[in-house]
Amino acid sequence: MQQISQDLHKSTYTETTIIPSCCYEIFIDFLLEHTQGAVEETILHESGESLAQFKYYPREHLALVSPAQAIIIRSMHDPLETPLYAYALESKLDSGEAKSTASIESTKPALDSGVRDSYSISSQNLIQALESLAHTLSQRLDTPVGFAYRIETKRNEDWIALYQQSISPLECANYYIRASWHPPLETLQCAPESSALDSPALASCRDFHPKHEIIINPALAFGSGHHASTFMCIEMLSHMDLRGKHCLDVGCGSGILGIIINKQGGIVEACDVDELAVIETRKNFAQNAAPLHKIWHGSIDSRPKSQESASLDSTSMSQSPLDSNIIKPHTPESPIAYDLVCANIVADVLACMHHDLFHVLKPNGILLLSGILESKLAWILQIFGDMRMLEQHHKDEWVSLKLARIP
């Protein structure tokens, strides 16, 4: 029991790839039953040379072709040494079910005698057990059944830590944007040159003096600032004086552009057709101490009236601290008109929204469009030809536009 527990904390694991010559579903069922763990099904698009690296049972070469249906099992155990029942025990340990050595015995499956060799399959290692299965199937089906397998040792990484390290802080115009697990910029600026805080992603931060630091944790809602379309919007917004201006972020995603609009002095409203985006936006506004004037689930035409503002997303302002910054509009019954509308979506959606985007703008109001592929630029310019072009920005294969409504 102690040895098995130690195995679960090894720095490496084994990845066993199995390619049955036939009876694929039977192999899958067998592995699921006797390992009681997860298996991965995949298609190997490998060359014949790569398939030659596999070992075979029976010994003679099997007729395997590429692509091939394969089964992958990942475990802390050695498939050539560890008894099969230990795989099931590992699964139970992961779920907190195994308490004592007696649990080992309980994981030994009750097998059909027809799928036994001269000794219990549960006492065989993984490859031996598969050989027993193939042998029994060959006898029952009166046709050769075999499999190929490859065993690889891989490093057991901390995938969460690796993911977090991959999300680097971002400098854009007057803003320093980071995830909450990265140190604040002031910490980096105060740290000695030899500090472990130094990294290629942060090396230039010491001489960078932004007006604002923004915390955005990557989530399912789009918008961390790294994508070219978001980056260009941040650049355009950072040069705008929005003090006292009424602004709308359409398709708000994570809320990052709305937060920057607020930092530039704007009074922010936001909307998104994805309910998760509404939740993330409210969370990120609160995390950055940015007041959010109004937010709703839906598009421009779904904007709630004043009496609905206290119960946006079916959540009362008094019930959630995330709602404490939502302020009722001064003239809620009047048709709203915005000084600035920002829509970072995709070209096809922007084209469909042309009418709504145009008519919620005040005369001379500014419209920022982003998420436009260069291949669709001419089409978008034609659709929004009733507006005056102010700026056009290109980054990678993306384009962002700054337009003004003609009075």
Side-chain angles (χ1 to χ4, degrees):
M1 177 67 175
Q2 182 179 4
Q3 179 60 46
I4 294 174
S5 297
Q6 290 174 350
D7 286 345
L8 295 178
H9 295 88
K10 287 181 179 179
S11 60
T12 60
Y13 67 94
T14 59
E15 181 176 283
T16 307
T17 305
I18 301 154
I19 306 176
S21 62
C22 62
C23 306
Y24 181 82
E25 295 299 331
I26 295 177
F27 275 80
I28 283 282
D29 292 341
F30 178 86
L31 291 168
L32 287 173
E33 178 182 356
H34 298 301
T35 66
Q36 297 183 26
V39 300
E40 178 183 337
E41 299 182 62
T42 188
I43 301 293
L44 289 185
H45 295 274
E46 300 196 34
S47 65
E49 183 179 351
S50 297
L51 289 174
Q53 298 174 3
F54 282 69
K55 295 183 178 180
Y56 295 85
Y57 176 85
R59 298 295 181 187
E60 55 269 21
H61 186 76
L62 295 175
L64 297 179
V65 296
S66 178
Q69 277 190 299
I71 307 163
I72 298 176
I73 297 177
R74 298 180 179 89
S75 172
M76 297 299 181
H77 301 307
D78 184 344
L80 295 174
E81 298 289 341
T82 308
L84 186 60
Y85 66 74
Y87 285 79
L89 177 60
E90 178 182 348
S91 177
K92 284 184 173 289
L93 284 171
D94 286 341
S95 62
E97 294 179 15
K99 301 296 182 182
S100 65
T101 307
S103 298
I104 298 178
E105 297 301 320
S106 68
T107 61
K108 294 182 179 180
L111 302 174
D112 186 309
S113 59
V115 193
R116 293 176 184 272
D117 236 345
S118 58
Y119 49 89
S120 171
I121 283 184
S122 63
S123 297
Q124 300 177 21
N125 65 48
L126 179 66
I127 301 303
Q128 289 172 335
L130 290 172
E131 290 175 355
S132 296
L133 172 66
H135 177 72
T136 300
L137 289 172
S138 297
Q139 289 183 324
R140 290 185 175 182
L141 299 175
D142 195 26
T143 186
V145 177
F147 62 94
Y149 66 92
R150 179 178 63 193
I151 301 170
E152 299 177 279
T153 300
K154 298 195 172 183
R155 186 171 184 81
N156 194 19
E157 303 282 5
D158 184 344
W159 298 109
I160 295 177
L162 288 175
Y163 167 73
Q164 291 183 341
Q165 292 170 12
S166 72
I167 307 299
S168 58
L170 174 72
E171 300 173 32
C172 182
N174 294 328
Y175 292 92
Y176 173 72
I177 303 163
R178 66 177 178 90
S180 60
W181 52 78
H182 284 294
L185 183 60
E186 60 185 30
T187 302
L188 297 174
Q189 290 172 330
C190 295
E193 291 297 325
S194 60
S195 170
L197 292 172
D198 288 337
S199 70
L202 302 177
S204 61
C205 290
R206 296 184 178 281
D207 300 322
F208 183 66
H209 302 285
K211 290 168 55 180
H212 301 293
E213 181 173 78
I214 295 175
I215 300 174
I216 299 289
N217 289 328
L220 293 179
F222 175 80
S224 64
H226 291 80
H227 193 276
S229 61
T230 310
F231 191 93
M232 289 186 286
C233 284
I234 296 172
E235 285 188 315
M236 288 190 289
L237 289 169
S238 68
H239 294 100
M240 299 177 68
D241 182 359
L242 299 176
R243 287 175 291 183
K245 303 292 186 181
H246 289 271
C247 308
L248 175 64
D249 182 7
V250 181
C252 54
S254 68
I256 184 172
L257 296 181
I259 293 171
I260 288 173
I261 291 170
N262 170 261
K263 300 300 184 183
Q264 294 294 123
I267 302 166
V268 184
E269 296 189 10
C271 64
D272 201 296
V273 295
D274 184 353
E275 190 169 3
L276 177 62
V278 173
I279 294 171
E280 287 298 315
T281 292
R282 295 169 70 178
K283 185 190 303 181
N284 286 325
F285 264 77
Q287 182 168 240
N288 289 277
L292 182 57
H293 189 69
K294 180 176 284 193
I295 184 169
W296 66 92
H297 176 210
S299 191
I300 297 174
D301 57 358
S302 303
R303 185 181 186 274
K305 296 182 180 179
S306 58
Q307 60 266 33
E308 298 170 311
S309 62
S311 58
L312 296 176
D313 311 320
S314 303
T315 305
S316 171
M317 291 175 64
S318 62
Q319 291 177 328
S320 172
L322 296 179
D323 292 327
S324 59
N325 291 322
I326 299 179
I327 307 169
K328 292 185 178 181
H330 298 295
T331 56
E333 303 304 331
S334 303
I336 192 69
Y338 298 99
D339 300 287
L340 168 74
V341 175
C342 184
N344 178 23
I345 313 178
V346 293
D348 292 344
V349 176
L350 293 175
C352 294
M353 296 183 67
H354 165 261
H355 179 272
D356 289 339
L357 292 169
F358 182 90
H359 286 284
V360 295
L361 277 172
K362 294 179 179 178
N364 291 315
I366 301 298
L367 175 63
L368 299 187
L369 299 180
S370 197
I372 305 165
L373 285 169
E374 288 181 335
S375 60
K376 296 195 174 184
L377 175 58
W379 177 55
I380 289 295
L381 290 177
Q382 181 180 8
I383 292 173
F384 286 86
D386 51 356
M387 302 188 71
R388 184 170 70 254
M389 172 68 69
L390 299 179
E391 296 178 20
Q392 187 177 132
H393 298 262
H394 294 252
K395 184 176 176 62
D396 301 331
E397 59 182 341
W398 299 92
V399 184
S400 295
L401 306 174
K402 182 178 180 181
L403 309 172
R405 176 174 173 175
I406 301 172

